[in-house]
Amino acid sequence: MNLSGNRLRRLVGIFVLVFVGIAGAFTLGGSAAAHHPVLEAQTDRLCGDQAPWTAIVTAQSDQDWNKDWKSKYQIDGGPFSAWSPLTDDQTPYVFEVGPFGPDVTKVSVLVKSKWYLKSDGTLSVTAQRSIEILRPDTWRCAETTKPAAPAVTYDCATDQLNIVGADDTDSVDYTVTVVTPPNGEGSTWDVTITAAPQPGYEFADDATTEWHFTGTVDCDYTTKPAAPAVTYDCATDQLNIVGADDTDSVDYTVTVVTPPN
């Protein structure tokens, strides 16, 4: 059979395409390259036209191949990230990209994944997928709030500072700094408390965000012991001592000089 030059070149071209297609469907170990990461992205943009935006990208194996896998990503053809730890292929690969400025309207994220046989750790398949992420048109505005004012006093009963109202809340992050701690009777203490908004919140323009507290330890430790009483109880033939139990402020000592006989 005689073939013209053009027809022969077409047949060779078709053979090359078929060969490349078949070769591209297989990787190490002769496994079909049906594996691929399935990508999805969730974007987030803070309040304001000029606010930056970010995205959380999740890559999942297209099915459970009963293999281990690891992944890495690149943004707009830039350098790749480091490989993720090797895990079971049913563990999602999740990462954040950004923040991007308001002039960046879209980014392309490429994820490359490798699957390994669990039996001996042999590399089985390498595959990649890309996803185009658009800058979101809507944005998340922060909720306005005001931090509640804390209070600081000195507790003579415990010999400690008593700080009230400075526990963190969903909207406020408090920071307590004991500048000068108390050090006994007559000493001066100094405490500063600041407040910062939690993510998703902002303070009103007239909100107070810093408080200073100072004081002097002035505790009245003087006391008067209550008078005890001692009688003889004929019913029990014993001394009856009342009011001589120790208290927080008084230590009683009972001495029977001459016992009843």
Side-chain angles (χ1 to χ4, degrees):
M1 179 175 61
N2 294 325
L3 297 176
S4 66
N6 289 336
R7 187 178 180 187
L8 178 59
R9 281 192 293 271
R10 283 200 300 271
L11 288 175
V12 172
I14 292 172
F15 174 78
V16 171
L17 288 175
V18 171
F19 177 78
V20 171
I22 294 175
F26 294 91
T27 58
L28 298 178
S31 300
H35 305 58
H36 63 267
V38 178
L39 308 181
E40 63 179 22
Q42 182 176 358
T43 57
D44 186 28
R45 176 178 161 193
L46 296 178
C47 197
D49 290 336
Q50 299 302 308
W53 62 281
T54 59
I56 301 294
V57 180
T58 301
Q60 293 182 312
S61 178
D62 59 322
Q63 70 178 64
D64 187 358
W65 296 102
N66 193 27
K67 297 178 182 178
D68 293 325
W69 80 331
K70 65 180 182 180
S71 302
K72 63 181 180 179
Y73 70 90
Q74 69 174 180
I75 303 173
D76 288 337
F80 272 99
S81 67
W83 285 104
S84 65
L86 192 65
T87 62
D88 183 82
D89 63 10
Q90 291 306 286
T91 301
Y93 174 48
V94 182
F95 57 93
E96 181 178 22
V97 294
F100 304 107
D103 56 322
V104 180
T105 58
K106 65 179 179 180
V107 295
S108 178
V109 177
L110 175 70
V111 175
K112 176 182 278 189
S113 303
K114 291 184 176 182
W115 282 259
Y116 296 81
L117 299 179
K118 286 183 177 289
S119 57
D120 57 8
T122 301
L123 176 61
S124 174
V125 176
T126 298
Q128 62 187 32
R129 280 286 175 91
S130 63
I131 184 173
E132 187 175 82
I133 307 173
L134 302 179
R135 181 174 185 257
D137 293 330
T138 58
W139 57 80
R140 172 174 54 87
C141 291
E143 183 177 342
T144 302
T145 187
K146 283 186 178 182
V152 181
T153 58
Y154 187 80
D155 189 341
C156 292
T158 62
D159 283 331
Q160 292 181 342
L161 292 171
N162 186 29
I163 302 173
V164 178
D167 294 329
D168 292 343
T169 66
D170 291 340
S171 58
V172 182
D173 178 18
Y174 288 96
T175 300
V176 178
T177 303
V178 180
V179 181
T180 305
N183 189 24
E185 182 71 12
S187 64
T188 300
W189 51 268
D190 184 6
V191 176
T192 298
I193 299 178
T194 58
Q198 299 279 21
Y201 292 85
E202 63 183 8
F203 288 156
D205 293 338
D206 60 345
T208 302
T209 60
E210 186 169 307
W211 300 265
H212 298 279
F213 303 91
T214 60
T216 301
V217 178
D218 183 16
C219 298
D220 184 7
Y221 293 107
T222 61
T223 187
K224 288 184 177 181
V230 180
T231 58
Y232 186 79
D233 189 340
C234 294
T236 61
D237 284 333
Q238 290 181 343
L239 292 173
N240 186 25
I241 303 173
V242 179
D245 295 328
D246 293 341
T247 67
D248 291 338
S249 57
V250 180
D251 178 17
Y252 289 92
T253 300
V254 177
T255 304
V256 181
V257 180
T258 305
N261 191 11

